[in-house]
Amino acid sequence: MKEAVISKGPKVQIVDSPIPEPKPGQVVTKVVFSGSNPKDWKIPEWMPDIPAMNGGDDIAGIVHSVGEGVIEFRPGDRVAAFHEMLQAGGSYAEYAVSWAHTTFRLPDKTSFEEGAALPLAALTAAVGLYGTHKLNLPQPWSPAKEPIPLLVYGAASAVGAYVVQLAAKSNIHPLICVAGRAQQHVESMIDRSKGDTIVDYRQGNDAVVKGIQDALKGKKLEYAYDAVAELEKNTIQNIAQVLDKQSGNVTLVLPPKGGWEAKWEEFGDGIHQSPTNVGGVHKEMKDLGFVFCRYFTRGLEEGWFKGQPQEIVPGGLAGVETALGKLKDGTASAVKYVFKISDTEGAGSGK
């Protein structure tokens, strides 16, 4: 089969590899579409000692085979799945591997390209919102009964958009969404009648802080989800100014330079801060991953959960390098780059 391996640059090489065999508890999917994520170019730069590898994690396709003990899925099922990061069998290939608990069915009305836009980012949103040691907000099936203001920084990103959709299902309002040129996308997901609003980060940091404070209308801000988490973009500094100093709780998708165990000093000692590392669904947060993967299927079927808008990059796996370059240089806005694997030169040849 054809498989793309990624090295620092990002540089992508397409190689021939054997079709993977599932271990117990695993699913092997014939990939129709693969999705991309910023981590796909970041990991080769941040972890240069790791050999070049197939770093794709967003799978959408048709089940090819299942391992021992897998009872939910069978060959021929339409699925999407989150591949375990930094392991063999990634989604930038004709066939990819996932664990059954991070695999979920795609309704017939959900396209494979939409499915490929979901797994990693949607699970990242769920981990940060509902994880016991994260924000630990009310679950969608047991929604909030009183207003809970939530700041979503980077609401137009894939993670941010899924945070907004899940939080709205949990009846968490007002949603104070920080976004830029993709505000129309965010507008389609919020409810102005419940106090939800959008703050434009392009107006400058002082305007962002004031906009958040105005949206609160005197209420305390105790919860923030930072889907950007970059000092250079002032997300941490701005959040630190508006979160309650004693009861504030923030979760962030990236760690400080000291790693996942370190703390952002900007928040001080009174604000509880937690990293949202989606890899936890393959470790200590397996149950959360299992439950929300099934819940995503229901949300897609019922129509309240939708994939981030997709852009199909031409050339199949040959388009991965171009897409990762756009993710690196900041070209992407309110879009998920996805790849139709059958468009890869030589795909389907069995070589």
Side-chain angles (χ1 to χ4, degrees), residues 308-319:
Q308 184 80 335
Q310 308 98 50
E311 180 179 324
I312 301 173
V313 182
L317 294 175

Side-chain angles (χ1 to χ4, degrees), residues 32-71:
V32 179
F33 274 88
S34 170
S36 57
N37 293 283
K39 59 150 278 294
D40 301 347
W41 70 262
K42 290 178 179 179
I43 284 179
E45 293 202 2
W46 293 355
M47 306 171 72
D49 294 336
I50 293 179
M53 66 183 302
N54 170 359
D57 296 318
D58 283 338
I59 302 165
I62 299 169
V63 173
H64 172 70
S65 59
V66 299
E68 181 183 352
V70 175
I71 59 174

Side-chain angles (χ1 to χ4, degrees), residues 9-197:
K11 296 293 183 184
V12 176
Q13 180 184 9
I14 299 175
V15 300
D16 290 315
S17 301
I19 295 173
E21 295 289 336
K23 297 177 182 178
Q26 290 185 334
V27 176
V28 172
T29 297
K30 180 176 175 58
V31 185
V32 179
F33 274 88
S34 170
S36 57
N37 293 283
K39 59 150 278 294
D40 301 347
W41 70 262
K42 290 178 179 179
I43 284 179
E45 293 202 2
W46 293 355
M47 306 171 72
D49 294 336
I50 293 179
M53 66 183 302
N54 170 359
D57 296 318
D58 283 338
I59 302 165
I62 299 169
V63 173
H64 172 70
S65 59
V66 299
E68 181 183 352
V70 175
I71 59 174
E72 280 189 88
F73 307 103
R74 63 184 62 185
D77 287 346
R78 303 176 78 253
V79 297
F82 175 40
H83 163 261
E84 184 174 4
M85 297 185 294
L86 301 179
Q87 300 298 314
S91 67
Y92 293 148
E94 292 184 71
Y95 295 84
V97 179
S98 62
W99 293 99
H101 77 276
T102 55
T103 303
F104 56 98
R105 293 180 183 275
L106 289 179
D108 290 342
K109 66 180 182 180
T110 302
S111 67
F112 288 117
E113 49 263 52
E114 183 176 7
L118 289 164
L120 183 149
L123 282 168
T124 302
V127 166
L129 283 171
Y130 306 114
T132 302
H133 301 294
K134 313 303 180 187
L135 297 186
N136 198 20
L137 288 162
Q139 307 281 355
W141 47 87
S142 184
K145 293 179 171 57
E146 301 292 337
I148 302 177
L150 172 65
L151 173 62
V152 184
Y153 219 113
S157 69
V159 171
Y162 298 138
V163 168
V164 170
Q165 292 180 66
L166 289 170
K169 189 65 175 174
S170 290
N171 197 34
I172 295 168
H173 299 283
L175 295 170
I176 304 167
C177 302
V178 180
R181 63 183 184 272
Q183 291 184 40
Q184 186 174 355
H185 175 49
V186 179
E187 192 72 47
S188 69
M189 298 182 288
I190 64 174
D191 187 344
R192 292 277 183 174
S193 72
K194 296 184 178 180
D196 297 350
T197 192

